[in-house]
Amino acid sequence: MKILIINGSAHKGNTWKLVKQSKHYLMKLNNEIEFDEVHLFEENLPFCIGCSNCFRVGHEKCPHYSVVGEIIKKIENADGIIFASTTYNMRETALLKNLFDHLCFMLHRPYFFRSKALIITTTGGVGGRAAAKSIRSTLKGIGFNRCYIFSKPTFSWNAYEPNNRVLKALHKRVNKFYRDVNSKKLHSPDVSLLIPYNLFRGMSLAYVPGTEYETKDGVYWTEECRRKTVYAPEVNVSFYKKPVGWLFYEIGKIAGNMKGMAVTYRK
Ligand SMILES: Cc1cc2nc3c(=O)[nH]c(=O)nc-3n(C[C@H](O)[C@H](O)[C@H](O)COP(=O)(O)O)c2cc1C
């Protein structure tokens, strides 16, 4: 099993203590786990410059692809991913947000359908859960199948010592994450995910090759494997959720063709 750790904090502080502990619990569950770490502060990923190449012509054309492309490959090759972030101003760090900005094209063309995450945040007192939920909402949007959250207030700048209660709760969460990753089971998506997925599926038909403002989205959504299903073909969708997907697909098609709705770009 391969576990990738993406450290969104600019140092190894309170949050990293929980990550190290999680690593320890994981190794106790399976001593053959291969760990890999990405420390975003070492990656020197520039800010997204808003060229929109990723949306229009493909993410390989991102001026920062040499960094982003490598991280995408690492996420893709991992069985489970731990995202760690300090809470800054009630949200994830700018380092992690910057990575997510570079992955925004996947909100249009979700990708990581087999990925499962454990999100670890710490906060001084408040906002840690909001930060974790913000991370989860991005990960779910880009396709992640399951996200587990562990968030704790530390009441400390850099001298956090998790007590036994916290360690016990972390152990339980790590166990759950591990068992799910190990099962390789892909869970049926929530309806709240089927709505944006199918809106994009319908709306993007206005941007297929040959249309005035063709984009990579238009190519993605007309690929045979995506045309007839309300979610990624490899993920089973509960039968009662499927009509919701189809309904929003039809709404998306109408919205995509409505006057004044076309998303233009300078040619
Ligand atoms: C720039 C900055 C912003 C912060 N914002 C918050 C916040 O919104 N809410 C809060 O309770 N603590 C906040 N804190 C405190 C940290 O979240 C807290 O000390 C955390 O455990 C530090 O984790 P780290 O050592 O892994 O960086 C902030 C700290 C810094 C340096």
PDB file of all heavy atoms in Angstrom, residues 163-177:
ATOM      1  N   ASN A 163      -3.128  15.009  24.023  1.00  0.00           N
ATOM      2  CA  ASN A 163      -3.360  14.166  25.204  1.00  0.00           C
ATOM      3  C   ASN A 163      -3.896  12.785  24.785  1.00  0.00           C
ATOM      4  O   ASN A 163      -4.147  12.539  23.599  1.00  0.00           O
ATOM      5  CB  ASN A 163      -4.287  14.864  26.208  1.00  0.00           C
ATOM      6  CG  ASN A 163      -5.666  15.123  25.609  1.00  0.00           C
ATOM      7  OD1 ASN A 163      -6.118  14.387  24.733  1.00  0.00           O
ATOM      8  ND2 ASN A 163      -6.327  16.184  26.062  1.00  0.00           N
ATOM      9  N   ASN A 164      -4.092  11.924  25.754  1.00  0.00           N
ATOM     10  CA  ASN A 164      -4.487  10.543  25.450  1.00  0.00           C
ATOM     11  C   ASN A 164      -5.819  10.455  24.733  1.00  0.00           C
ATOM     12  O   ASN A 164      -6.023   9.598  23.879  1.00  0.00           O
ATOM     13  CB  ASN A 164      -4.550   9.714  26.742  1.00  0.00           C
ATOM     14  CG  ASN A 164      -3.141   9.322  27.151  1.00  0.00           C
ATOM     15  OD1 ASN A 164      -2.228   9.333  26.321  1.00  0.00           O
ATOM     16  ND2 ASN A 164      -2.968   9.003  28.439  1.00  0.00           N
ATOM     17  N   ARG A 165      -6.725  11.369  25.103  1.00  0.00           N
ATOM     18  CA  ARG A 165      -8.044  11.349  24.457  1.00  0.00           C
ATOM     19  C   ARG A 165      -7.915  11.653  22.962  1.00  0.00           C
ATOM     20  O   ARG A 165      -8.524  11.002  22.113  1.00  0.00           O
ATOM     21  CB  ARG A 165      -8.955  12.378  25.133  1.00  0.00           C
ATOM     22  CG  ARG A 165     -10.286  11.734  25.504  1.00  0.00           C
ATOM     23  CD  ARG A 165     -11.260  12.639  26.168  1.00  0.00           C
ATOM     24  NE  ARG A 165     -11.592  13.790  25.351  1.00  0.00           N
ATOM     25  CZ  ARG A 165     -11.838  14.994  25.840  1.00  0.00           C
ATOM     26  NH1 ARG A 165     -11.763  15.213  27.125  1.00  0.00           N
ATOM     27  NH2 ARG A 165     -12.157  15.981  25.055  1.00  0.00           N
ATOM     28  N   VAL A 166      -7.088  12.649  22.657  1.00  0.00           N
ATOM     29  CA  VAL A 166      -6.868  13.020  21.247  1.00  0.00           C
ATOM     30  C   VAL A 166      -6.199  11.855  20.504  1.00  0.00           C
ATOM     31  O   VAL A 166      -6.591  11.488  19.394  1.00  0.00           O
ATOM     32  CB  VAL A 166      -6.001  14.305  21.146  1.00  0.00           C
ATOM     33  CG1 VAL A 166      -5.544  14.554  19.719  1.00  0.00           C
ATOM     34  CG2 VAL A 166      -6.781  15.502  21.687  1.00  0.00           C
ATOM     35  N   LEU A 167      -5.206  11.255  21.134  1.00  0.00           N
ATOM     36  CA  LEU A 167      -4.480  10.158  20.479  1.00  0.00           C
ATOM     37  C   LEU A 167      -5.395   8.971  20.212  1.00  0.00           C
ATOM     38  O   LEU A 167      -5.324   8.335  19.161  1.00  0.00           O
ATOM     39  CB  LEU A 167      -3.281   9.732  21.340  1.00  0.00           C
ATOM     40  CG  LEU A 167      -2.170  10.777  21.463  1.00  0.00           C
ATOM     41  CD1 LEU A 167      -1.053  10.283  22.375  1.00  0.00           C
ATOM     42  CD2 LEU A 167      -1.599  11.128  20.081  1.00  0.00           C
ATOM     43  N   LYS A 168      -6.291   8.717  21.160  1.00  0.00           N
ATOM     44  CA  LYS A 168      -7.229   7.604  20.991  1.00  0.00           C
ATOM     45  C   LYS A 168      -8.170   7.883  19.806  1.00  0.00           C
ATOM     46  O   LYS A 168      -8.425   7.010  18.964  1.00  0.00           O
ATOM     47  CB  LYS A 168      -8.049   7.447  22.281  1.00  0.00           C
ATOM     48  CG  LYS A 168      -8.355   6.009  22.616  1.00  0.00           C
ATOM     49  CD  LYS A 168      -8.921   5.880  23.995  1.00  0.00           C
ATOM     50  CE  LYS A 168     -10.040   4.864  23.943  1.00  0.00           C
ATOM     51  NZ  LYS A 168     -10.819   4.822  25.160  1.00  0.00           N
ATOM     52  N   ALA A 169      -8.640   9.133  19.745  1.00  0.00           N
ATOM     53  CA  ALA A 169      -9.557   9.509  18.654  1.00  0.00           C
ATOM     54  C   ALA A 169      -8.826   9.459  17.311  1.00  0.00           C
ATOM     55  O   ALA A 169      -9.385   9.008  16.295  1.00  0.00           O
ATOM     56  CB  ALA A 169     -10.105  10.912  18.907  1.00  0.00           C
ATOM     57  N   LEU A 170      -7.558   9.886  17.317  1.00  0.00           N
ATOM     58  CA  LEU A 170      -6.777   9.854  16.071  1.00  0.00           C
ATOM     59  C   LEU A 170      -6.560   8.406  15.623  1.00  0.00           C
ATOM     60  O   LEU A 170      -6.714   8.071  14.444  1.00  0.00           O
ATOM     61  CB  LEU A 170      -5.429  10.560  16.282  1.00  0.00           C
ATOM     62  CG  LEU A 170      -4.490  10.579  15.068  1.00  0.00           C
ATOM     63  CD1 LEU A 170      -5.096  11.358  13.905  1.00  0.00           C
ATOM     64  CD2 LEU A 170      -3.133  11.200  15.428  1.00  0.00           C
ATOM     65  N   HIS A 171      -6.241   7.563  16.576  1.00  0.00           N
ATOM     66  CA  HIS A 171      -6.024   6.143  16.284  1.00  0.00           C
ATOM     67  C   HIS A 171      -7.261   5.542  15.598  1.00  0.00           C
ATOM     68  O   HIS A 171      -7.160   4.838  14.592  1.00  0.00           O
ATOM     69  CB  HIS A 171      -5.742   5.405  17.610  1.00  0.00           C
ATOM     70  CG  HIS A 171      -5.135   4.051  17.399  1.00  0.00           C
ATOM     71  ND1 HIS A 171      -4.765   3.235  18.424  1.00  0.00           N
ATOM     72  CD2 HIS A 171      -4.849   3.362  16.268  1.00  0.00           C
ATOM     73  CE1 HIS A 171      -4.274   2.109  17.929  1.00  0.00           C
ATOM     74  NE2 HIS A 171      -4.325   2.165  16.624  1.00  0.00           N
ATOM     75  N   LYS A 172      -8.418   5.878  16.149  1.00  0.00           N
ATOM     76  CA  LYS A 172      -9.685   5.364  15.607  1.00  0.00           C
ATOM     77  C   LYS A 172      -9.890   5.846  14.169  1.00  0.00           C
ATOM     78  O   LYS A 172     -10.278   5.080  13.279  1.00  0.00           O
ATOM     79  CB  LYS A 172     -10.825   5.893  16.488  1.00  0.00           C
ATOM     80  CG  LYS A 172     -11.906   4.875  16.743  1.00  0.00           C
ATOM     81  CD  LYS A 172     -12.808   5.359  17.826  1.00  0.00           C
ATOM     82  CE  LYS A 172     -14.240   5.112  17.410  1.00  0.00           C
ATOM     83  NZ  LYS A 172     -15.201   5.650  18.343  1.00  0.00           N
ATOM     84  N   ARG A 173      -9.611   7.126  13.950  1.00  0.00           N
ATOM     85  CA  ARG A 173      -9.811   7.724  12.613  1.00  0.00           C
ATOM     86  C   ARG A 173      -8.853   7.107  11.595  1.00  0.00           C
ATOM     87  O   ARG A 173      -9.222   6.770  10.473  1.00  0.00           O
ATOM     88  CB  ARG A 173      -9.588   9.231  12.727  1.00  0.00           C
ATOM     89  CG  ARG A 173     -10.088  10.021  11.568  1.00  0.00           C
ATOM     90  CD  ARG A 173     -11.412  10.657  11.769  1.00  0.00           C
ATOM     91  NE  ARG A 173     -12.521   9.793  12.038  1.00  0.00           N
ATOM     92  CZ  ARG A 173     -13.678   9.872  11.420  1.00  0.00           C
ATOM     93  NH1 ARG A 173     -13.847  10.743  10.467  1.00  0.00           N
ATOM     94  NH2 ARG A 173     -14.687   9.094  11.750  1.00  0.00           N
ATOM     95  N   VAL A 174      -7.593   6.942  12.017  1.00  0.00           N
ATOM     96  CA  VAL A 174      -6.582   6.369  11.127  1.00  0.00           C
ATOM     97  C   VAL A 174      -6.963   4.924  10.766  1.00  0.00           C
ATOM     98  O   VAL A 174      -6.858   4.507   9.609  1.00  0.00           O
ATOM     99  CB  VAL A 174      -5.171   6.423  11.788  1.00  0.00           C
ATOM    100  CG1 VAL A 174      -4.155   5.607  11.003  1.00  0.00           C
ATOM    101  CG2 VAL A 174      -4.703   7.863  11.909  1.00  0.00           C
ATOM    102  N   ASN A 175      -7.458   4.203  11.766  1.00  0.00           N
ATOM    103  CA  ASN A 175      -7.914   2.834  11.547  1.00  0.00           C
ATOM    104  C   ASN A 175      -8.992   2.766  10.484  1.00  0.00           C
ATOM    105  O   ASN A 175      -8.956   1.933   9.588  1.00  0.00           O
ATOM    106  CB  ASN A 175      -8.536   2.316  12.841  1.00  0.00           C
ATOM    107  CG  ASN A 175      -7.769   1.147  13.372  1.00  0.00           C
ATOM    108  OD1 ASN A 175      -7.566   0.192  12.654  1.00  0.00           O
ATOM    109  ND2 ASN A 175      -7.317   1.247  14.615  1.00  0.00           N
ATOM    110  N   LYS A 176      -9.944   3.676  10.597  1.00  0.00           N
ATOM    111  CA  LYS A 176     -11.073   3.719   9.655  1.00  0.00           C
ATOM    112  C   LYS A 176     -10.573   4.027   8.246  1.00  0.00           C
ATOM    113  O   LYS A 176     -10.975   3.392   7.269  1.00  0.00           O
ATOM    114  CB  LYS A 176     -12.049   4.817  10.098  1.00  0.00           C
ATOM    115  CG  LYS A 176     -13.452   4.292  10.271  1.00  0.00           C
ATOM    116  CD  LYS A 176     -14.386   5.314  10.769  1.00  0.00           C
ATOM    117  CE  LYS A 176     -15.778   4.875  10.347  1.00  0.00           C
ATOM    118  NZ  LYS A 176     -16.797   5.750  10.793  1.00  0.00           N
ATOM    119  N   PHE A 177      -9.689   5.017   8.167  1.00  0.00           N
ATOM    120  CA  PHE A 177      -9.110   5.416   6.885  1.00  0.00           C
ATOM    121  C   PHE A 177      -8.366   4.228   6.269  1.00  0.00           C
ATOM    122  O   PHE A 177      -8.570   3.872   5.107  1.00  0.00           O
ATOM    123  CB  PHE A 177      -8.167   6.606   7.133  1.00  0.00           C
ATOM    124  CG  PHE A 177      -7.237   6.942   5.997  1.00  0.00           C
ATOM    125  CD1 PHE A 177      -7.728   7.440   4.800  1.00  0.00           C
ATOM    126  CD2 PHE A 177      -5.854   6.794   6.135  1.00  0.00           C
ATOM    127  CE1 PHE A 177      -6.869   7.782   3.757  1.00  0.00           C
ATOM    128  CE2 PHE A 177      -4.991   7.126   5.112  1.00  0.00           C
ATOM    129  CZ  PHE A 177      -5.495   7.620   3.914  1.00  0.00           C
TER     130      PHE A 177
END
